[in-house]
Amino acid sequence: CFVEGYPECLVLYPTLIGDGDCHNYFQYNSTECGNDGGDCKAVEGLANCFVPNPALIANGECDDRWPFDYNTLECQWDGGDCPTPIEVDGYPGCFVDDPTKISDGQCDGSPMYNTPECKFEGGDCQAVGGFPNCYIDKSLDPSKVGDGKCDGDPMYNTPIGCNNEGGDCQAIENAPNCYIDKSLDPSK
């Protein structure tokens, strides 16, 4: 869907653009989408680094947890807090800070590792049909995404890629990372 005011911004959920929360992942935090409609803030001295909280850059801790990954080239590897990524042997164009996570049998889901260049963590993650950016551990059942039941597994229940378990779950307002079955009343 296109976003009003951003003619080059094509995202699955246009209401997330400019909603007050920085969705720090591609395509939302991009130039085409106005860095999530201005929700992602510029970091002084780093021209192309836009994050939810600039104070976390160069704060002495490597902030590389999804969805707020500060460990990017644009943010100079969290202002130097994270190790400089290296290219993984056998995966051209796959640069990560811990190559042992590639093909280790566990889908970590980190944006740095779960890329086409890294072959979706070396095959640890599998794509879920019908959800373009939804990748889950290869040991999980992709048919649970969009099956009408909120299982609540964090690997299925991502707001963007897996669309809150394919629409099976709904977020609870003012309760971050809290999701319930879409058939339930969130006010109770």
Side-chain angles (χ1 to χ4, degrees):
C1 299
F2 289 99
V3 179
E4 188 176 327
Y6 301 98
E8 301 297 317
C9 179
L10 181 62
V11 294
L12 192 57
Y13 303 101
T15 57
L16 295 179
I17 301 292
D19 68 351
D21 291 319
C22 174
H23 302 97
N24 193 26
Y25 31 85
F26 185 78
Q27 293 100 336
Y28 296 83
N29 189 9
S30 66
T31 305
E32 295 81 11
C33 294
N35 299 104
D36 195 22
D39 294 338
C40 298
K41 309 298 180 225
V43 176
E44 191 174 325
L46 298 175
N48 295 311
C49 178
F50 293 86
V51 295
N53 184 355
L56 294 178
I57 299 289
N59 68 344
E61 181 179 329
C62 178
D63 299 294
D64 64 349
R65 295 169 299 280
W66 189 88
F68 304 115
D69 192 1
Y70 294 69
N71 188 18
T72 64
L73 174 62
E74 295 80 11
C75 294
Q76 298 201 354
W77 318 120
D78 194 17
D81 292 340
C82 299
T84 303
I86 56 173
E87 189 168 27
V88 179
D89 287 339
Y91 297 88
C94 174
F95 290 86
V96 298
D97 53 10
D98 184 0
T100 64
K101 288 186 176 183
I102 302 293
S103 198
D104 67 353
Q106 179 179 339
C107 178
D108 301 294
S110 170
M112 178 181 275
Y113 297 83
N114 200 8
T115 65
E117 296 79 15
C118 295
K119 306 257 187 287
F120 305 102
E121 291 191 33
D124 294 339
C125 303
Q126 63 177 317
V128 176
F131 300 92
N133 295 310
C134 180
Y135 295 90
I136 60 173
D137 194 273
K138 66 182 177 185
S139 67
L140 297 175
D141 180 2
S143 70
K144 287 190 172 192
V145 176
D147 68 354
K149 179 182 176 222
C150 180
D151 298 288
D153 187 311
M155 285 303 293
Y156 295 119
N157 196 12
T158 59
I160 299 302
C162 295
N163 186 23
N164 293 330
E165 208 172 299
D168 296 340
C169 303
Q170 62 178 317
I172 303 296
E173 194 172 327
N174 298 321
N177 302 316
C178 182
Y179 298 88
I180 62 170
D181 194 275
K182 68 180 179 182
S183 65
L184 300 174
D185 181 354
S187 66
K188 296 184 180 196

